[in-house]
Amino acid sequence: GFHLSGTVTEPATATEPEMTYKVAISFDRCKITSVTCGCGNKDIFYCAHVVALSLYRIRKPDQVKLRLPISETLFQMNRDQLQKFVQYLITAHHTEVLPTAQKLADEILSSNSEINQVHGAPDPTAGASIDDENCWHLDEEQVREQVKLFLSQGGYYGSGKQLNSMFAKVREMLRMRDSNGARMLTLITEQFMADPRLSLWRQQGTGITEKCRQLWDELGALWVCVVLNPHCKLEEKSCWLRQLRKWGEMDVCPLEDGNYGNELPNITNALTQSSGHSQDSLARPRRTVFTRAIEGCDLHWQDSHLQRIISSDFYVSPSYQREGESLLFNSQGQPLWLEHVPTACARVDALRSHGYPREALRLTVAIINTLRLQQQRQLEIYKHQKKELLQRGATTITNLEGWVGHPLNPIGCLFLTLTEACRLEEENCLEISDAGDSKPPVYQHVPVVTGSQDSGESYLSLALEVALMGMGQQRVMPEGLYAQDKVCRNEEQIIARLQDLELDPVLVQTLRKQCILLLEGGPFSGLGEVIHRESVPMHTFAKYLFSALLPHDADLAYKLALRAMRLPVLETTAPSGDVSHPHHLVSVVPSRYPRWFTLGHLESQQCELASTMLTAAKGDMLRLRTVLEAIQKNIHSSSLIFKLAQDAFKIATPADSNSDTTLLNVALELGLQVMRMTLSTLNWRRREMVRWLVTCATEVGVRALVSILQSWYSLFTPTEATSIVAATVMSHNTILRLSLDYPQREELASCARTLALQCAMKDPQNCALSALTLCEKDHIAFETAYQIVIDAASTGMTYTQLFTIARYMEHRGYPLRAFKLASLAMTHLNLAYNQDTHPAINDVLWACALSHSLGKNELAAIIPLVVKSVHCATVLSDILRRCTMTAPGLAGIPGRRNSGKLMSTDKAPLRQLLDATISAYINTTHSRLTHISPRHYGEFIEFLSKARETFLLAQDGHIQFAQFIDNLKQIYKGKKKLMLLVRERFG
């Protein structure tokens, strides 16, 4: 039959009752062509009830009653039976069927109706004719709705995952050779093109978001796959081409390189010499995400050589080479396929995707044989140019189109094709491991099937070889953030796949051989001796190679990793790049560095490579030296060198065993380099770096500490040298950590004192106090430090610094020196009438208290300085009050006699202070009254009360105060309310 109908019962659950659904399925030539189900499910995929009915029919065909097509049954009925049949049918469904039945009856009875022009009648149960289209049922509306929904969620809630699974569905359809694959992709693309965000991004000139870009890339790659279907009809291809062109011409169509700016030229020749490029290719045509697929429509599969490659494992050149066929085979007679590499790989992807895995493998082997031949020829070219290129130290040869990060992902495609052929399918490979990740794949060696003598190669070793060739290809960094980011991402993806391979002796041999070729490859290899200045760096790749090779061939591993450490784009001495290839014209000329958006990431990868080598070289002085030299030569960022120093220190000082001195010395040397690099530049991590260096030097030992103390001026600022370095070195903890004997302690202390005095001379403002502290235990050094402070006091120091040192001196038992420094500090100070909360007030009160405690002479010396510097009435009255409460000279300086009497405010030196205080009150009152608001009247009256207390300390104070109040009433009589308050309080 061609039509299956049945009822499906869904059992009851805790929340839902039992449900029964009517299901109908049409099928034709083993494909389900349409479905209907009472559940009304709206999804791209069939509902569970359709699946249940189909499986029932597949598994229990004898349980399903098979009937003739309905037209056959009707043919067997006579006139009465037919009448009965129709009437019963109408009665059973009269509400739905009656209008249709009436209409059909009218048409049949009308002699010239359309229905009467056609012989016979349709039969839904009889299936389609042999010429009719037959394809799987696809609910197109649902596809549109779902894609629209996922796009509107803008990459949230796993919508990207959902869209990727729809792409995977398309790939699955292609592999099953289901013609709906292209149809579904068309529906998806239409929705992508209708995404309202596209025009928004274009207006704003911003790039498409990262997640969205990757989806567009996959869309472009899928279209390449579709148009390269080796068995598609010409009319299908021309229909796709029309569609792709229509989408590509829309101005919102995303561009191939992710910018709405300039793009890469369409290069079909992999290697170019600079001379071949003319200036006019700057005006390049616009390349969209569909351009590759449009170009792919021009490719065909009719080439007889290609047909022979993919259709047989045993296609070899005849033993006698016919003229003109030499390019079709290598010297072993194996076929070659000399097409632009990414294009050839796109063919492989298409074969794989359309369900032709054997053919894909055969073409892959031919491509790899071609790449090997190309590698040999490049080696020969380089041997002839080697001398000249090494003298120049640079090369203009490079691939403008890299295979890693290429929109068609050629290397990934070959690698997958080869490894899929070697995959061991375990019984339970669908089970997921505990962590929720699928287990890494397990591979086995599958020998390469070939017509020539047994090569002894396996598809697995070819996979490794081609991945290494592709990753090691010397290529120019593409332009634009997206393309550059893609290079890094693709590289990481390939390496992650490589790490799934367990390196057995066969693979190790492949690895070694390819690494040697890459090292010798000159300008054609990213690991060759000379590379282009803007070559994509090899750090990530080299880190993988280093770790993989190390257990098998340490010398080769180091040689490779050290070669890869370079980053020529940052070398100022490098030639200015060759301006001859146009797509770098813009970037090379104006600035020294081209626009490498991923430079930060690349530098951190360089640092990772160095760190991996340092870790491996622990304990091997010679290796560590060479790695250290490579770091010092190639890494230009202080924060990265600091990270390396920290890494080395961590590895050198494990918690559970002794330190490794070789690596510790490397850590110290890197740390010293960081100090020198950041000494004169601002770096927010500088304090952390200085502290770390002292820790590291302490770990190395006393000689290292002596060395950094002696050469401090090339490593630290004076402040750092005294407050962090010397202070830490002299701390109790350091002495304990190093368990030093007395001569060693003395040597360190002496170095620290010398440093302290040098720093105090260079920067007395910031280092004087630290210098005094460091020199406390050595009389001569301490005196020298004190003299430096006195000399600098008049010019270079602020009152805060001087007061701080003065207080330190008093605390150390040098009150007279403290007095001298406090007097010097007073000369730098100026307190205005309204600065009654100034931070220096405490210092002034302390200085006066110190002078008072020393005796009458010192007080007499400081009061004129106070009067000159302080114009704030409340502060002056506070000092005056304190000086009259106790007798001076209570500090009891030996050899001085004190009378023990309180001092009078009528006599010097307090008389001068009293006059100054009264005068300050008068001035402050006038200042405050010029702009006073009623809110402050109460506060002002309290201020006058305080003033009266001070006036009354003078002999004729009450008269002076009365005159003062009268004066105020006269001058400010306009402020009636305020003067009323003054009268109430003061008469």
Side-chain angles (χ1 to χ4, degrees), residues 529-671:
E529 283 173 279
V530 274
I531 51 169
H532 190 278
R533 178 168 173 246
E534 289 174 42
S535 213
V536 172
M538 293 279 135
H539 309 124
T540 317
F541 179 41
K543 186 180 144 194
Y544 162 76
L545 293 177
F546 179 79
S547 305
L549 273 172
L550 196 62
H552 312 288
D553 188 340
D555 287 343
L556 184 58
Y558 278 101
K559 188 177 179 189
L560 222 149
L562 290 165
R563 170 81 57 84
M565 273 293 290
R566 62 199 168 185
L567 189 48
V569 77
L570 291 182
E571 302 297 338
T572 39
T573 52
S576 61
D578 95 276
V579 187
S580 50
H581 30 277
H583 80 293
H584 279 74
L585 195 67
V586 189
S587 58
V588 171
V589 181
S591 72
R592 206 172 75 230
Y593 299 139
R595 295 186 68 190
W596 280 30
F597 299 94
T598 50
L599 194 58
H601 170 76
L602 297 171
E603 284 190 281
S604 69
Q605 288 301 305
Q606 182 189 31
C607 175
E608 286 285 308
L609 173 61
S611 183
T612 308
M613 284 197 279
L614 283 177
T615 311
K618 178 178 173 176
D620 183 334
M621 205 52 232
L622 272 174
R623 293 242 194 258
L624 280 173
R625 272 279 137 225
T626 47
V627 176
L628 181 64
E629 280 160 19
I631 291 168
Q632 290 170 330
K633 182 177 172 220
N634 292 300
I635 298 187
H636 302 279
S637 149
S638 56
S639 55
L640 289 175
I641 296 180
F642 181 48
K643 184 186 176 303
L644 280 174
Q646 288 175 304
D647 286 355
F649 182 75
K650 246 185 227 129
I651 302 156
T653 52
D656 49 1
S657 61
N658 294 336
S659 299
D660 178 87
T661 47
T662 55
L663 198 49
L664 257 181
N665 281 306
V666 168
L668 180 65
E669 206 160 322
L670 289 170

Side-chain angles (χ1 to χ4, degrees), residues 230-248:
H231 291 145
C232 71
K233 301 193 184 84
L234 266 177
E235 54 270 25
E236 278 181 309
K237 205 186 248 192
S238 53
C239 171
W240 294 329
L241 183 59
R242 274 199 304 280
Q243 266 178 342
L244 290 164
R245 281 195 175 135
K246 189 185 84 190
W247 290 326

Side-chain angles (χ1 to χ4, degrees), residues 370-382:
T370 314
L371 291 177
R372 284 170 170 171
L373 190 64
Q374 188 185 350
Q375 200 176 38
Q376 282 169 5
R377 288 189 181 166
Q378 289 169 348
L379 274 171
E380 283 155 25
I381 295 173
Y382 174 52

Side-chain angles (χ1 to χ4, degrees), residues 35 188 253 260 334 409 464 493 557 581 858 919:
V35 299
I188 294 174
C253 186
Y260 277 110
Q334 295 163 314
N409 187 14
L464 176 62
Q493 286 162 352
H581 30 277
E858 282 76 12
S919 147

Side-chain angles (χ1 to χ4, degrees), residues 296-311:
C297 289
D298 296 338
L299 298 173
H300 61 79
W301 296 83
Q302 270 76 56
D303 182 278
S304 60
H305 182 57
L306 176 63
Q307 282 300 327
R308 287 190 195 125
I309 291 173
I310 63 178
S311 55

